[in-house]
Amino acid sequence: MAKEYSGSPKHHHRLEAKRNPLTWILGVSFLCILFYVLGAWQRSSNPNTTQFSAYNRGGCDSHVTTSDNGNAVVGHPSSTNLDFASHHQVVLNSSKTVSQFPSCDMLFSEYTPCQDKVRGRKFDRNMLKYRERHCPAKEELLRCLIPAPPQYKTPFKWPQSRDYAWYSNIPHRELSIEKAIQNWIQLEGNRFRFPGGGTMFPRGADAYIDDIGRLIPLTDGTIRTAIDTGCGVASFGAYLLNRNILTMSFAPRDTHEAQVQFALERGVPAMIGIMGSQRLPYPARAFDLAHCSRCLIPWKKYDGLYLAEVDRILRPGGYWVLSGPPIHWKKFWRGWERTREDLKQEQDAIEDVAKSLCWKKVIEKNDLSVWQKPINHVECFRSKKVLKAPHMCESDDPDTAWYRNLEACVIPLPEVSSSDDVAGGAIEKWPERAYAVPPRIRSGSTPGVTAERFVEDNKLWKERVAHYKRIISPLPTGRYRNIMDMNAYLGGFAAAMLNYPVWVMNVVPINSNHDTLGVIYERGLIGTYQDWCEAFSTYPRTYDLIHASGLFTLYQNRCDITYILLEMDRILRPEGTVIFRDTVELLVKIQSITDGMRWKSQIMDHESGPFNPEKILVAVKTYWTGEATQKQL
C-alpha cells in the first residue's frame, strides 16, 4: 500500500520554501568569508612569490608599440598579474640572480672577450696565433654590463648607414688618418663618411667591382655568397649588396682600430677573424666567391696552407679573386717598393699552389687575377695533379671548423658519376635558391632533414615572421638592419626576412644535434658556427635584433645561462630588441635575469594561441650610456 502522510502537503511545502532560501544565503556567505580568509593568509605567507605582470592573455591589451623616435617599446597588459612560478618549475644551470647588474668600467666599452689584446699577448706570435680566439676562463668572466660611449646615438638607417656613422658611437680617428689617401673613411664634423675606397680601389668599390664583373659573372645570380679576407671597413661587401651578393667580411682586431666595428655600424655583415693556425668557422663548399685585396695573407707560406683553406670553403666552380701584390708585378713593381725578383717569386709560388689545388686560372688583367675551383675532382685525379703538395686529406669531416687546426691538404669533393656533374649537387641561381631544396637535403647527407621537412619549416617561419611584424612594428621600416639568429637550424627565419631591409647572421651552435650550416649557405644565406658558452667574435653594440628560438633549451644544462644573456646584452645595441621562443619555465627564468640587465620585457602567447606550451618573450634593451672619463672630457 502507498504510504500515507499526515497533515496537508501544501502546508509542508510552504515550510520548506521558507527554510531553504535562508539556509542557502547563510551557506554561501560562510564559504565566501572562508575563502577570503584563506586567500589573504596565503598571500601574506608568500610575499616573495614571483609575479608575472607582462603575460599576454587573449583579450588583454598587451602589445609592443613604438616611441617617437621609432624604437620598439614593450607595452604591458592592464589585466591582473598571473603567477606561473608555482606551476612551472625547472632547475637551470644559472648563477644566483642579482637584482641589478652593475655597469662595467668605461675601459670595457669596446670589450671583445675572446679577442682581448692583453690576453692575446700571452700566446705564440707564430702564424698569428695570438690574434685568434682565446676566451676568458670562468673566473675571468665579467658580471657587469658593457657601457655605450657617452652621447651614443641610434645608427643611421640603411641605406644611409652604408655611407655614414656617428663619431660618438665609434670615437676613433686612426683609420681616417692612416688611410686618408686611400679613401677608406673620412671624419666630417660629428660623423664619419665612407667614400667606398680601398687600398686597391682608389676609384671606389663600385668601379672596382665593375672591373671584376667584366671578368666573371656577378649579376646573373650565379654568385650569391662571398667571403672577403682582411676586409678593412668592408666597402667591398657593402657595394656587392647592390648586386644581390651577400658577403661575409672579416678582419682581425689589430692596430687599425675597430675595422669590423665600423663595418657593422654601417650595416654590413662582418666578424672579427683571421687566417692563422685554425680553420675559419664556416662549413665546406660555402662560398661562391673568395676575395683578397692586398689582405697581407702569406698565401705562399706553410705549403699553401691558407689557399687550401680557401679551397675548403669555396663551392665547386667558385672563384678566387686576388688583387694587389704580386699580381701583374712587371707593371706595378716600382710602386710597391719591392724588388722584381721578390714579386716574381711570390707570384710563381701562388700559381704553383693554385695548380696543386687543381684550380684553373681564368684571367689576369691589370692588378686583378682570377682562379676557378673545379666542379669536381675527376680530372684532378686523372691528371695526377694531386700528387703535388698539398696532398689529399684522409678521413676528414670537411665541415668541422670549430677550433680545428688547418691542414696542408686538399679536402676531397663528394664523388660524382660524370665529369660534368657538380660535386655535392648543383644549386639554383639566386633568388630561386633561397627556397629550392638544397643539395645536402636532396642527397640525404643532412640526417633527420627531408625535403618535406624543409618545405614545412619555410612555411612555419613565414607565419612566425608575419606574427613578429604585428608585434614589433618597426620591423619593416629599416629601424633594424643587423640581425642575428642564435639557433638558425635551416635558416627559415632568415629566408622569411628577405623582403625586409635587413641581413641575418645565421648561427648554428656546435652543440646542435645536426650540422645545418652547409644547408644555410646552399640557400644563399650566410652564418657561422658558435659555442654560446663563449663570447661571439664581434664588438659590443653591433646587432639591432637578436632571435633566440629554443637556444636556452639547448644550453640550460651546458653552462650558466646568465653569461649567455650578458653576452647578448654586450652585442645588442641600446634600444635593440630580442625575441626568445621557448617554454614558459625557461622564459620566466630568463626574464628574472634580464630584469636586472635594464631590459623591458613581456611574455606573449604563441602565434597559434594560448594553449601552445611554447611562448614568446620580447625584450628591449633600454638606452643608457657610460660616464665620460677624464680623458674623454
Side-chain angles (χ1 to χ4, degrees):
M1 295 178 60
K3 185 175 180 179
E4 296 184 7
Y5 291 94
S6 61
S8 169
K10 292 184 179 179
H11 174 72
H12 174 76
H13 289 161
R14 280 198 299 269
L15 291 175
E16 290 297 316
K18 289 180 181 178
R19 292 194 196 102
N20 287 342
L22 181 60
T23 303
W24 186 82
I25 292 171
L26 291 174
V28 171
S29 299
F30 174 78
L31 289 175
C32 289
I33 294 170
L34 176 63
F35 286 123
Y36 175 83
V37 172
L38 287 174
W41 173 80
Q42 185 179 33
R43 184 177 182 87
S44 64
S45 64
N46 291 281
N48 296 322
T49 299
T50 303
Q51 292 286 313
F52 207 54
S53 61
Y55 181 70
N56 180 27
R57 191 72 172 174
C60 297
D61 182 19
S62 175
H63 57 279
V64 177
T65 59
T66 56
S67 61
D68 294 337
N69 61 1
N71 297 327
V73 178
V74 178
H76 294 278
S78 58
S79 60
T80 185
N81 295 341
L82 299 179
D83 174 21
F84 289 97
S86 60
H87 306 290
H88 300 276
Q89 300 291 337
V90 65
V91 178
L92 293 179
N93 183 6
S94 64
S95 57
K96 185 178 180 181
T97 304
V98 298
S99 55
Q100 288 291 324
F101 289 91
S103 171
C104 302
D105 190 279
M106 275 300 298
L107 293 173
F108 292 96
S109 181
E110 294 180 355
Y111 183 50
T112 52
C114 296
Q115 283 89 10
D116 181 61
K117 290 186 287 187
V118 176
R119 184 181 300 105
R121 296 191 190 108
K122 302 176 183 178
F123 294 89
D124 192 353
R125 300 183 70 86
N126 181 45
M127 297 183 71
L128 302 178
K129 292 178 182 178
Y130 73 105
R131 287 185 180 172
E132 295 178 331
R133 284 178 59 90
H134 302 291
C135 297
K138 186 176 181 179
E139 59 272 14
E140 298 177 273
L141 297 174
L142 299 181
R143 289 187 64 87
C144 54
L145 306 176
I146 302 297
Q151 302 178 358
Y152 177 89
K153 299 180 181 179
T154 300
F156 291 94
K157 290 184 179 181
W158 183 266
Q160 191 179 14
S161 66
R162 187 193 69 177
D163 302 322
Y164 295 98
W166 296 114
Y167 172 77
S168 58
N169 291 6
I170 311 178
H172 291 288
R173 306 171 187 265
E174 292 90 339
L175 280 176
S176 64
I177 298 171
E178 293 181 26
K179 302 294 183 179
I181 63 173
Q182 297 172 8
N183 264 346
W184 278 30
I185 181 174
Q186 297 174 357
L187 180 60
E188 298 178 348
N190 64 348
R191 65 185 185 181
F192 290 108
R193 185 171 71 88
F194 302 90
T199 306
M200 292 307 302
F201 34 94
R203 294 181 295 125
D206 245 350
Y208 174 78
I209 292 170
D210 285 341
D211 290 341
I212 296 175
R214 297 184 184 97
L215 308 179
I216 58 177
L218 289 182
T219 58
D220 67 351
T222 301
I223 296 174
R224 164 62 181 175
T225 56
I227 185 167
D228 188 16
T229 55
C231 65
V233 295
S235 288
F236 180 72
Y239 283 87
L240 274 178
L241 289 168
N242 295 341
R243 283 84 171 170
N244 280 324
I245 297 176
L246 194 57
T247 306
M248 177 68 79
S249 301
F250 73 88
R253 176 161 189 163
D254 59 0
T255 55
H256 298 317
E257 286 289 349
Q259 293 179 88
V260 168
Q261 191 175 13
F262 275 119
L264 288 159
E265 190 74 7
R266 300 175 69 183
V268 180
M271 288 179 62
I272 300 174
I274 191 168
M275 296 198 78
S277 66
Q278 297 175 344
R279 285 182 175 179
L280 298 173
Y282 316 118
R285 311 193 310 276
F287 298 98
D288 305 311
L289 171 69
H291 172 258
C292 165
S293 174
R294 203 166 188 171
C295 58
L296 306 181
I297 295 174
W299 300 111
K300 66 176 183 177
K301 294 183 68 175
Y302 312 115
D303 297 323
L305 193 68
Y306 298 135
L307 274 181
E309 175 63 359
V310 172
D311 181 79
R312 183 186 72 87
I313 62 176
L314 202 59
R315 279 196 56 76
Y319 298 94
W320 184 55
V321 178
L322 177 65
S323 68
I327 302 304
H328 214 45
W329 58 268
K330 292 180 181 179
K331 180 178 180 181
F332 297 108
W333 70 275
R334 289 184 179 87
W336 290 337
E337 299 180 355
R338 290 173 60 184
T339 65
R340 293 165 59 94
E341 293 74 17
D342 180 37
L343 289 164
K344 179 181 183 304
Q345 184 181 22
E346 182 178 352
Q347 179 153 356
D348 288 346
I350 292 174
E351 301 278 6
D352 289 342
V353 175
K355 288 179 181 178
S356 72
L357 295 169
C358 301
W359 291 2
K360 174 185 177 182
K361 189 166 186 178
V362 177
I363 193 170
E364 182 175 316
K365 186 175 182 180
N366 295 326
D367 56 359
L368 283 168
S369 192
V370 181
W371 285 264
Q372 186 174 23
K373 179 178 177 176
I375 62 173
N376 56 58
H377 278 161
V378 173
E379 293 299 327
C380 190
F381 280 112
R382 287 177 180 171
S383 61
K384 304 296 184 181
K385 290 181 180 179
V386 292
L387 296 177
K388 299 181 181 179
H391 61 278
M392 302 299 287
C393 301
E394 297 179 2
S395 303
D396 181 61
D397 180 359
D399 290 340
T400 303
W402 189 249
Y403 293 122
R404 174 68 180 268
N405 288 334
L406 292 172
E407 297 178 71
C409 57
V410 181
I411 301 291
L413 289 171
E415 294 184 3
V416 294
S417 57
S418 167
S419 59
D420 296 326
D421 293 340
V422 178
I427 57 174
E428 301 287 341
K429 291 185 176 182
W430 184 262
E432 288 76 19
R433 68 188 279 191
Y435 284 101
V437 179
R440 295 185 194 227
I441 295 178
R442 291 200 311 262
S443 66
S445 59
T446 306
V449 183
T450 62
E452 293 74 20
R453 178 63 186 271
F454 176 77
V455 173
E456 290 172 2
D457 189 72
N458 288 331
K459 181 181 178 182
L460 177 69
W461 282 108
K462 283 183 178 180
E463 295 172 353
R464 289 178 171 179
V465 168
H467 181 63
Y468 293 161
K469 182 181 177 182
R470 290 191 292 269
I471 64 176
I472 306 177
S473 53
L475 193 59
T477 67
R479 165 66 179 83
Y480 303 114
R481 172 62 183 172
N482 302 351
I483 297 180
M484 175 182 288
D485 191 354
M486 296 178 72
N487 189 19
Y489 188 44
L490 300 177
F493 169 73
M497 297 287 286
L498 287 172
N499 292 330
Y500 300 121
V502 304
W503 64 271
V504 179
M505 178 69 76
N506 293 281
V507 180
V508 173
I510 60 166
N511 313 100
S512 299
N513 292 329
H514 305 298
D515 180 358
T516 53
L517 192 55
V519 169
I520 289 170
Y521 272 95
E522 288 181 341
R523 301 188 68 173
L525 309 171
I526 60 171
T528 183
Y529 294 111
Q530 172 68 23
D531 181 353
W532 284 114
C533 292
E534 300 179 359
F536 193 77
S537 293
T538 191
Y539 283 84
R541 302 173 301 280
T542 45
Y543 285 87
D544 304 296
L545 174 65
I546 299 176
H547 185 258
S549 177
L551 181 78
F552 289 87
T553 292
L554 181 63
Y555 276 92
Q556 61 180 311
N557 296 317
R558 295 182 183 276
C559 53
D560 190 337
I561 68 166
T562 301
Y563 290 109
I564 300 178
L565 292 167
L566 287 171
E567 172 64 4
M568 295 170 73
D569 182 84
R570 184 185 74 89
I571 66 180
L572 187 66
R573 286 173 174 164
E575 298 186 302
T577 301
V578 180
I579 302 174
F580 300 89
R581 301 182 71 96
D582 233 305
T583 62
V584 171
E585 292 90 344
L586 282 167
L587 295 186
V588 170
K589 185 62 181 180
I590 290 168
Q591 191 178 48
S592 71
I593 298 171
T594 59
D595 282 348
M597 291 165 51
R598 311 189 201 187
W599 290 15
K600 301 298 183 183
S601 62
Q602 69 179 84
I603 294 183
M604 301 177 175
D605 280 328
H606 190 275
E607 60 272 359
S608 65
F611 300 108
N612 194 309
E614 182 180 77
K615 304 298 177 186
I616 301 170
L617 171 63
V618 179
V620 175
K621 178 179 177 179
T622 58
Y623 176 89
W624 63 276
T625 68
E627 296 181 3
T629 63
Q630 190 65 35
K631 179 179 179 181
Q632 291 169 321
L633 293 172

